Amino acid sequence: MRTLLVLLVLVVGLPAAAQTDPLPSWNEGPAKQAILGFVRATTEKRSPQYVPPEQRIATFDQDGTLWVEQPLYTQLIFALDRVKALAPQHPEWKTQEPFKTILSGDPKALETLTVQDIERVVAVTSTGMTVEAFNTLVTSWFATAKQPRFGRPYLQLVYQPMLELLRYLRANGYKTYIVTGGGQDFVRVYSEQVYGVPPEQVMGTAGKTQYGYQNGQPVLIKLPEVLLVDDKTGKPEGIHLLIGRKPKAAFGNSDGDQQMLEWAQASGGAPLMMLVHHDDAEREYAYGPASRIGTFSDALMAEAKKRGWTVISMKKDWKRIFPFEEK
Amino acid sequence: MRTLLVLLVLVVGLPAAAQTDPLPSWNEGPAKQAILGFVRATTEKRSPQYVPPEQRIATFDQDGTLWVEQPLYTQLIFALDRVKALAPQHPEWKTQEPFKTILSGDPKALETLTVQDIERVVAVTSTGMTVEAFNTLVTSWFATAKQPRFGRPYLQLVYQPMLELLRYLRANGYKTYIVTGGGQDFVRVYSEQVYGVPPEQVMGTAGKTQYGYQNGQPVLIKLPEVLLVDDKTGKPEGIHLLIGRKPKAAFGNSDGDQQMLEWAQASGGAPLMMLVHHDDAEREYAYGPASRIGTFSDALMAEAKKRGWTVISMKKDWKRIFPFEEK
């Protein structure tokens, strides 16, 4: 009976399903058209820009491109929470910077932290343990932590239109990768569950690990040495390390993504480069050149225009921002 | 008409094809049984050791596991040939070691090269150029270079039984990876064509690259700095960087592969660990503890016995070694 049903579906086809909009949370407009046009041009056999399946690679920045990055990067909030959790074991932090500032709990003071401070905090809170122990810490943090403005777990604050885009590209034979300035091990904990992107398709800022044994079992210990900073020029370098080919499509939202988009454009054919622009203070956040988190400089906007990259307006192009919104 | 044929095949099935031996170049014996048993145990839904498709990862060493590594690693021969090709532009090499020894052409003298010498030669001949320029050099070298004993192009000197194993695992939902001490960029040039393994599934010894521009086009320049030596403890470290999960099966042939096999074994369930033993001087080479290339120490053999790793005898287990042999 089941076989017959399968046969029937094969013969009759699924005309209704085939005509369903693959991007229902995108308003009609140039951004949606750019995506549909790219998929048509690169997957239809007769198209002069046809891309063979093995070359169908699409890379996505994460923070600000796939999920919320304000008021602070999620991983940074995790690290700050770890400092608070570890503070009782480190009485010296009461007088030692940057820990003193972090423990003061003053959100304004946090803005004075330098990149070096942040790197130190991430190293102290995310290394010197096995990769499994780190995974467990991250998993349990996500189970209870909530984003302050939306009052929801961080893993819910992903952009519905981008989830549809990831699925649509995969349905058309594209391998979807995350290429993030965030920690590779951090993002891998939830990438499959949240984005359908398996760990082996996540590049990120990566630290060295050291192989050894604990209780007779092999382990990898996370070391406080950086192997690759996967931001700006580090993005094409990371893509080369993890993938070894140029992507045919690349999606970002800030100055840190420019080189990744350039690298995709250099792949030739009819590549797709898109930048998410945060211009919707009502439904999400509005920020750009002046923001320390997710800087979208005027220079990047000029570059996008010059090179034909599509700028996605969250306000105009997205019908719906989050999966939890009413349809 | 074609649709009808497809339907017929779907309904009637392909009993003949289903019963075809997936490993025709393997003799009946414990090695072949270990492979068939592993696939059955990890892919049959009712099996207690069932592995979900997303966790089906198999990692293969390359030199001596998938292809010939004697009398010298293929990549080393490439580097030595590059020294000869570049010598006219480097008159100083006539008196400078290790170049002087290499240019002498004395195969005995080559054996005196140290690991540091080799690293220097690889750096001089494989960096300071774009990744595309390196790919071109490697491709054109393979087009003419021949392995001395067999008088054939290097890309033909792959082991037919391992090609069948790669295909068989893929047909059962395994993602097959190469995890090699050789250069990642070198192996990626031919991995898809020769093994059906795409570049993004090749981990290897990796150097730093630097993003920049040439004639207005983005390029990655290969730098003479090593990011990861993908051998011994570097193999699980490289697997973590590229894949982020433990493999369920791992295949090697030398002391450099021990940690990778340990890492696979730590994945739990019913993992498969195998070591190719070169004991067939007639059809290939016979070497083991005393060989500088592909050392298979007595300690590794003892470890294999203790941990239940399967040692593949090329002489007894392989009906055929190379694809070009008469069946």
Side-chain angles (χ1 to χ4, degrees):
Chain A
M1 187 59 206
R2 204 167 140 224
T3 311
L4 271 178
L5 195 66
V6 170
L7 291 182
L8 206 66
V9 169
L10 283 170
V11 174
V12 179
L14 289 163
Q19 281 166 28
T20 301
D21 181 357
L23 302 169
S25 299
W26 293 72
N27 288 316
E28 296 309 319
K32 185 169 183 171
Q33 282 313 310
I35 297 167
L36 297 172
F38 165 76
V39 167
R40 216 178 301 118
T42 60
T43 63
E44 284 179 5
K45 278 257 174 188
R46 288 175 199 178
S47 160
Q49 286 95 20
Y50 178 77
V51 173
E54 69 274 13
Q55 289 174 30
R56 293 186 198 163
I57 305 279
T59 56
F60 291 79
D61 167 59
Q62 185 194 221
D63 293 306
T65 298
L66 296 179
W67 75 351
V68 172
E69 62 183 346
Q70 296 287 357
L72 282 177
Y73 299 122
T74 306
Q75 190 180 1
L76 184 51
I77 302 175
F78 163 77
L80 298 178
D81 281 358
R82 287 298 303 153
V83 168
K84 289 170 206 160
L86 292 169
Q89 298 158 49
H90 293 274
E92 74 280 11
W93 285 356
K94 280 180 197 155
T95 54
Q96 208 177 60
E97 289 297 357
F99 304 101
K100 189 183 158 193
T101 296
I102 294 165
L103 294 171
S104 77
D106 175 5
K108 284 278 164 207
L110 286 182
E111 287 176 19
T112 65
L113 295 180
T114 65
V115 173
Q116 288 72 31
D117 288 338
I118 291 169
E119 281 176 1
R120 188 156 166 227
V121 169
V122 170
V124 164
T125 55
S126 303
T127 66
M129 64 186 88
T130 66
V131 294
E132 280 85 1
F134 180 71
N135 289 358
T136 305
L137 280 180
V138 174
T139 304
S140 45
W141 182 78
F142 273 116
T144 58
K146 285 188 176 156
Q147 205 267 3
R149 170 168 162 192
F150 295 96
R152 290 186 172 261
Y154 288 93
L155 299 185
Q156 292 185 11
L157 292 171
V158 293
Y159 305 135
Q160 176 64 24
M162 296 307 277
L163 294 180
E164 293 168 6
L165 175 56
L166 283 162
R167 270 195 295 265
Y168 178 52
L169 289 175
R170 286 196 292 263
N172 282 282
Y174 276 87
K175 265 192 179 175
T176 53
Y177 283 83
I178 293 172
V179 178
T180 173
Q184 186 183 38
D185 286 342
F186 185 82
V187 179
R188 278 172 166 176
V189 171
Y190 56 84
S191 63
E192 188 147 31
Q193 169 200 343
V194 172
Y195 304 117
V197 173
E200 62 267 29
Q201 285 163 226
V202 175
M203 188 65 222
T205 293
K208 284 193 189 178
T209 57
Q210 186 171 43
Y211 185 79
Y213 306 88
Q214 278 181 3
N215 308 318
Q217 283 299 309
V219 289
L220 283 176
I221 304 290
K222 288 171 67 63
L223 301 183
E225 290 165 70
V226 169
L227 206 62
L228 182 109
V229 177
D230 196 42
D231 195 35
K232 299 187 191 285
T233 57
K235 291 214 173 190
E237 292 162 11
I239 288 170
H240 181 66
L241 183 65
L242 196 83
I243 311 177
R245 359 188 181 221
K246 295 188 185 89
K248 289 285 167 187
F251 307 86
N253 77 303
S254 79
D255 289 12
D257 301 312
Q258 179 172 335
Q259 291 81 358
M260 175 170 76
L261 269 62
E262 289 172 359
W263 197 233
Q265 191 152 30
S267 73
L272 179 64
M273 287 71 59
M274 301 187 96
L275 289 167
V276 175
H277 192 219
H278 294 261
D279 57 0
D280 193 334
E282 204 179 308
R283 294 187 299 169
E284 203 240 9
Y285 295 90
Y287 55 98
S291 176
R292 249 186 97 188
I293 303 273
T295 318
F296 192 136
S297 68
D298 295 337
L300 179 64
M301 190 61 92
E303 203 65 21
K305 275 192 189 136
K306 190 177 125 195
R307 296 181 176 274
W309 300 346
T310 304
V311 175
I312 300 164
S313 161
M314 289 181 75
K315 197 167 182 168
K316 289 187 215 148
D317 290 315
W318 289 359
K319 203 174 289 180
R320 188 175 161 199
I321 309 274
F322 300 113
F324 54 78
E325 285 169 29
E326 295 288 319
K327 273 200 232 190
Chain B
M1 185 58 205
R2 206 167 140 224
T3 311
L4 271 178
L5 196 65
V6 170
L7 290 181
L8 206 67
V9 169
L10 282 169
V11 175
V12 180
L14 288 163
Q19 282 166 28
T20 301
D21 181 357
L23 303 169
S25 299
W26 292 73
N27 288 316
E28 298 306 321
K32 185 168 182 170
Q33 281 315 309
I35 298 167
L36 297 172
F38 165 76
V39 167
R40 217 179 301 120
T42 60
T43 63
E44 285 181 3
K45 277 257 173 186
R46 289 177 200 178
S47 159
Q49 287 95 21
Y50 177 76
V51 173
E54 69 274 15
Q55 290 174 29
R56 293 185 197 162
I57 305 279
T59 55
F60 291 80
D61 167 60
Q62 184 193 222
D63 294 306
T65 298
L66 295 179
W67 74 350
V68 171
E69 63 183 346
Q70 297 285 358
L72 282 176
Y73 299 122
T74 305
Q75 190 181 359
L76 185 51
I77 302 174
F78 164 76
L80 298 177
D81 281 359
R82 287 297 305 152
V83 168
K84 288 171 207 159
L86 292 168
Q89 298 157 47
H90 293 274
E92 73 281 10
W93 286 355
K94 279 181 197 153
T95 54
Q96 206 177 62
E97 289 297 358
F99 304 101
K100 188 182 159 191
T101 296
I102 294 166
L103 294 170
S104 76
D106 175 5
K108 285 277 164 210
L110 285 182
E111 289 176 18
T112 65
L113 294 181
T114 65
V115 172
Q116 287 72 28
D117 288 339
I118 291 169
E119 281 176 1
R120 187 156 167 224
V121 168
V122 170
V124 164
T125 55
S126 303
T127 67
M129 64 186 88
T130 66
V131 295
E132 280 84 3
F134 179 71
N135 289 357
T136 305
L137 280 179
V138 173
T139 304
S140 47
W141 182 78
F142 273 117
T144 58
K146 285 187 176 158
Q147 204 269 2
R149 171 168 158 191
F150 295 96
R152 288 185 175 262
Y154 287 93
L155 299 184
Q156 291 184 11
L157 293 171
V158 292
Y159 306 136
Q160 176 64 24
M162 296 307 278
L163 295 180
E164 293 168 6
L165 175 56
L166 283 162
R167 269 195 294 265
Y168 179 52
L169 289 175
R170 285 197 292 262
N172 283 281
Y174 276 87
K175 265 192 176 174
T176 54
Y177 283 83
I178 293 173
V179 178
T180 172
Q184 185 184 38
D185 286 340
F186 185 83
V187 177
R188 279 174 164 174
V189 172
Y190 56 83
S191 64
E192 188 146 30
Q193 167 200 345
V194 173
Y195 304 117
V197 174
E200 63 267 29
Q201 287 166 222
V202 175
M203 188 66 223
T205 293
K208 284 193 187 176
T209 57
Q210 186 169 44
Y211 184 78
Y213 307 88
Q214 278 181 4
N215 308 316
Q217 283 299 307
V219 289
L220 284 175
I221 304 290
K222 288 169 67 63
L223 301 183
E225 288 164 71
V226 170
L227 206 62
L228 183 110
V229 177
D230 196 41
D231 195 35
K232 300 187 192 285
T233 56
K235 292 212 173 192
E237 291 161 11
I239 288 170
H240 181 66
L241 183 66
L242 196 83
I243 311 177
R245 1 188 180 220
K246 296 188 184 90
K248 289 286 168 188
F251 306 87
N253 78 302
S254 79
D255 288 12
D257 301 312
Q258 180 173 336
Q259 290 81 356
M260 175 169 74
L261 270 61
E262 289 171 359
W263 197 233
Q265 192 153 27
S267 73
L272 178 64
M273 287 70 60
M274 301 187 95
L275 289 167
V276 175
H277 192 219
H278 294 262
D279 57 359
D280 193 334
E282 204 179 308
R283 294 187 299 169
E284 203 241 9
Y285 294 92
Y287 56 99
S291 176
R292 248 186 97 187
I293 303 271
T295 317
F296 193 135
S297 68
D298 295 336
L300 179 64
M301 190 62 92
E303 203 65 20
K305 275 192 188 136
K306 189 177 125 196
R307 296 181 176 274
W309 299 347
T310 305
V311 175
I312 300 164
S313 161
M314 289 182 73
K315 196 167 183 170
K316 288 188 214 147
D317 289 316
W318 287 0
K319 205 174 285 178
R320 191 175 159 198
I321 307 274
F322 299 112
F324 54 77
E325 286 168 27
E326 295 287 320
K327 276 201 230 190

